[in-house]
């Protein structure tokens, strides 16, 4: 029977959670997975939601189970799998049926798919992990606004809510939604790396054990650093391993995985000439973390770094302040990159709404985002670090950031994201930089010319 209000393809971790969320919010949904046993298992475990779910065994059955005009969400791995699924599905659909790619797609692919689409198409970014997908993610929409409006009532209903406001918003045409999701993930990389760097100072420099570090994160989460990532860092640090009785964090291999979205953000930033050094440093740090054998060989050759730091040299308050400054600067870089893309692609993306969408449901949700939304509403083209509220915070905390980086560096603790944030801050508050030397060099070896302070472009030196 044709009863479902929406369909979903792909019942992996995220797809199953999102489908259950849709059903839980009162919408009838038809689901299909390439492996039929997965579909049957999902339906069998649906419990009280079973009446809202139609499990189908073929794509034809899925299409027939959805009311017209149809809307079908794809939750399949990014890349060729999305193209293959669209190719298999589109011939079964009618002209006005809507396909929604809700995976972690590269926005260039979404641009291409929107251009090549023979029917309605949306690309939406979904953030929040499995828990967010199940109980309320942050949703960033991209494509034709009319197509978004057709399903926005469902997407807003299933999204996270911040003080009653849905964290689901239309970002702009084509791949705008997936672009914003990629930048979100880039900020996420930087935030996680900076937390890891401060954890390293506490563990290796101050000799603190994991449970005590967890208590520090708990305390910080009750203050201005309140955020999802600080909250879960405290929980991770305090968890005890059932197998060994030791802190579980001490048993985890120090090699961080990644699915590519942070790398995409770094690559696109270079294309846009948008400086995001903290995010780029975090991507590099993940790549370095995977080289465990090389790192061990380096320690064997050069000896371990003298990491012990006296309690007088650095305090927990300094670490909190350093993390505060670094966090502001990573958000500032991310929003500046979105602004650059908005101008370059003609998307007119709503920066204040992006900040509001990130206030709940997503991984980088933070107490700061309310003030960021306000600042971006007042001056959307102003770097966040110059907005009064954040300028005051940076004035109060940037010295702690540079002191922590200096102390960590002197004691051999790698701090790539925090150090890059210091460099970004100092570059962005220096009216007369040192690139005049670079321009002189470029003119010397390549006759590239330079501009003069006393007027005019196209000058050459007498070299």
């Amino acid at each position: 029977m044709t009863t479902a209000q929406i369909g979903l393809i792909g019942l992996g971790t995220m797809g199953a959670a999102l489908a259950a969320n849709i059903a839980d919010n009162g919408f009838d949904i038809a689901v299909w997975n390439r492996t039929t046993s997965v579909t049957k298992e999902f339906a069998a475990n649906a419990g009280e939601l079973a009446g809202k779910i139609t499990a189908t065994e073929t794509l034809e059955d899925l299409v027939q189970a959805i009311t017209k005009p149809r809307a079908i969400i794809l939750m399949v791995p990014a890349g060729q799998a999305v193209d293959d699924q669209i190719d298999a599905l589109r011939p079964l659909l009618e002209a006005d049926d809507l396909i929604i790619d809700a995976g972690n797609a590269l926005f260039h692919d979404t641009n291409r798919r929107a251009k090549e689409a023979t029917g309605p198409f949306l690309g939406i970014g979904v953030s929040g992990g499995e828990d967010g997908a199940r109980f309320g993610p942050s949703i960033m929409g991209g494509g034709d606004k009319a197509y978004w409006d057709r399903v926005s009532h469902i997407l807003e209903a299933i999204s996270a809510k911040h003080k009653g406001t849905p964290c689901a918003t239309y970002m702009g045409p084509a791949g705008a939604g997936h672009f914003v999701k990629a930048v979100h993930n880039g900020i996420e990389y930087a935030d996680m790396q900076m937390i890891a760097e401060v954890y390293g100072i506490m563990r290796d420099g101050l000799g603190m054990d994991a449970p005590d570090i967890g208590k520090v994160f708990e305390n910080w989460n009750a203050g201005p650093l309140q955020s999802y990532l600080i909250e879960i860092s405290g929980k991770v640090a305090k968890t005890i391993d059932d197998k060994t009785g030791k802190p579980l964090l001490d048993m985890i291999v120090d090699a961080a995985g990644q699915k590519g979205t942070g790398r995409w953000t770094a690559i696109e930033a270079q294309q846009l000439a948008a400086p995001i050094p903290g995010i780029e440093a975090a991507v590099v740090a993940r790549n370095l973390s995977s080289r465990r054998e090389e790192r061990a060989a380096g320690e064997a050759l050069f000896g371990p770094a003298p990491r012990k730091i006296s309690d007088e040299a650095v305090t927990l308050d300094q670490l909190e302040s350093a993390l505060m400054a670094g966090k502001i600067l990573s958000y500032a870089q991310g929003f500046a990159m979105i602004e650059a893309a908005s101008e370059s692609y003609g998307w007119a993306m709503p920066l204040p709404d992006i900040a509001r969408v990130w206030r709940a449901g997503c991984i980088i949700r933070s107490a700061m985002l309310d003030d960021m939304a306000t600042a971006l509403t007042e001056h959307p083209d102003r770097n966040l670090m110059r907005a009064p509220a954040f300028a005051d915070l940076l004035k109060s905390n940037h010295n702690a950031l540079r002191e922590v980086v200096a102390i960590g560096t002197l004691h051999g603790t790698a701090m790539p994201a925090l150090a890059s944030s210091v460099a970004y801050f100092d570059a962005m508050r220096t009216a007369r930089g040192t690139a005049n030397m670079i321009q002189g060099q470029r003119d010397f070896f390549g006759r590239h010319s330079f501009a003069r302070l006393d007027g005019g472009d196209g000058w050459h030196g007498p070299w």
Side-chain angles (χ1 to χ4, degrees):
M1 294 180 63
T2 305
T3 58
Q5 295 158 276
I6 195 166
L8 184 142
I9 293 173
L11 292 170
T13 300
M14 289 290 288
L18 197 66
N21 185 1
I22 292 170
D24 206 11
N25 276 277
F27 301 100
D28 292 310
I29 180 170
V31 297
W32 179 82
N33 194 79
R34 183 177 59 179
T35 304
T36 302
S37 60
V38 172
T39 309
K40 291 181 177 179
E41 182 180 0
F42 173 75
N45 294 329
E48 62 183 16
L49 299 177
K52 308 296 294 182
I53 295 170
T54 301
T56 62
E57 297 189 11
T58 68
L59 279 178
E60 290 83 359
D61 291 342
L62 174 77
V63 171
Q64 292 303 314
I66 306 168
T67 57
K68 301 177 184 179
R70 302 176 182 90
I72 300 176
I73 298 172
L74 305 186
M75 291 296 290
V76 299
Q80 188 59 45
V82 178
D83 292 310
D84 292 344
Q85 192 62 71
I86 291 172
D87 289 344
L89 182 61
R90 183 55 75 183
L92 305 176
L93 301 179
E94 298 182 15
D96 57 351
D97 290 342
L98 172 63
I99 294 176
I100 306 167
D101 178 15
N104 261 339
L106 175 62
F107 84 97
H108 288 297
D109 287 341
T110 307
N111 286 345
R112 171 181 56 79
R113 289 169 186 140
K115 186 176 181 180
E116 295 174 350
T118 58
F121 178 80
L122 284 177
I124 64 172
V126 178
S127 177
E130 180 183 4
D131 189 65
R134 177 61 184 87
F135 298 107
S138 172
I139 299 175
M140 295 144 268
D144 190 304
K145 180 65 161 55
Y147 302 152
W148 168 264
D149 290 342
R150 276 176 51 179
V151 291
S152 61
H153 64 293
I154 296 177
L155 299 178
E156 290 175 358
I158 68 171
S159 72
K161 309 297 186 297
H162 179 79
K163 298 179 180 179
T165 300
C167 292
T169 298
Y170 175 73
M171 300 296 169
H178 278 136
F179 178 87
V180 173
K181 175 57 165 59
V183 176
H184 163 285
N185 283 25
I187 297 171
E188 176 186 313
Y189 272 50
D191 206 348
M192 293 172 73
Q193 177 62 31
M194 289 187 292
I195 291 170
E197 291 171 13
V198 168
Y199 155 72
I201 291 286
M202 287 190 278
R203 183 192 69 182
D204 301 326
L206 299 179
M208 297 174 62
D209 62 24
D212 284 341
I213 292 171
K215 292 176 184 176
V216 172
F217 284 127
E218 277 188 348
N219 290 336
W220 289 352
N221 196 50
L225 277 177
Q226 189 276 318
S227 64
Y228 175 69
L229 285 171
I230 292 291
E231 176 189 350
I232 66 170
S233 297
K235 293 178 179 178
V236 168
K238 291 182 70 175
T239 298
I240 301 300
D241 179 28
D242 291 338
K243 185 176 181 180
T244 63
K246 299 178 180 179
L248 181 58
L249 187 57
D250 293 344
M251 304 303 297
I252 298 175
V253 173
D254 57 322
Q258 56 183 311
K259 293 186 176 180
T261 48
R263 187 184 304 120
W264 294 344
T265 307
I267 291 170
E268 190 60 29
Q270 292 296 325
Q271 297 292 334
L272 292 167
I276 55 167
I279 293 171
E280 291 176 346
V283 175
V284 170
R286 289 206 189 186
N287 293 336
L288 282 171
S289 76
S290 67
R291 303 194 173 196
R292 298 183 68 236
E293 291 184 6
E294 291 183 60
R295 291 190 284 114
E299 183 172 302
L301 176 62
F302 299 110
R307 290 176 176 163
K308 181 62 179 173
I309 302 173
S310 68
D311 293 343
E312 294 77 25
V314 65
T315 67
L316 295 178
D317 286 343
Q318 277 180 299
L319 294 179
E320 182 181 22
S321 292
L323 202 52
M324 171 74 70
K327 190 180 187 75
I328 292 169
L329 292 167
S330 68
Y331 277 102
Q333 292 167 45
F335 278 109
M337 180 177 172
I338 293 172
E339 182 188 2
S342 189
E343 182 176 345
S344 178
Y345 293 113
W347 283 343
M349 288 185 284
L351 296 185
D353 288 344
I354 293 171
R356 295 185 186 101
V357 161
W358 289 348
R359 290 180 301 182
C362 72
I363 302 300
I364 63 170
R365 58 187 184 264
S366 164
M368 292 184 184
L369 282 161
D370 258 336
D371 287 338
M372 289 181 181
T374 299
L376 290 166
T377 299
E378 293 171 349
H379 292 282
D381 57 348
R382 178 183 59 191
N383 189 298
L384 270 176
M385 64 181 285
R386 300 203 317 273
F390 298 105
D392 288 344
L393 285 171
L394 285 171
K395 288 175 184 178
S396 301
N397 294 296
H398 78 86
N399 280 331
L401 173 60
R402 72 180 65 258
E403 288 164 0
V404 167
V405 169
I407 291 166
T409 301
L410 287 170
H411 289 79
T413 298
M415 311 190 77
L418 288 172
S420 295
S421 296
V422 170
Y424 177 80
F425 175 77
D426 286 338
M428 290 293 286
R429 60 119 177 218
T430 301
R432 171 88 168 143
T434 57
N436 52 314
M437 171 59 80
I438 296 172
Q439 281 304 100
Q441 293 168 337
R442 293 180 72 242
D443 185 62
F444 190 104
F445 65 68
R447 299 282 290 174
H448 294 292
S449 81
F450 54 82
R452 291 178 58 94
L453 289 174
D454 53 6
D457 297 324
W459 290 88
H460 295 286
W463 18 79

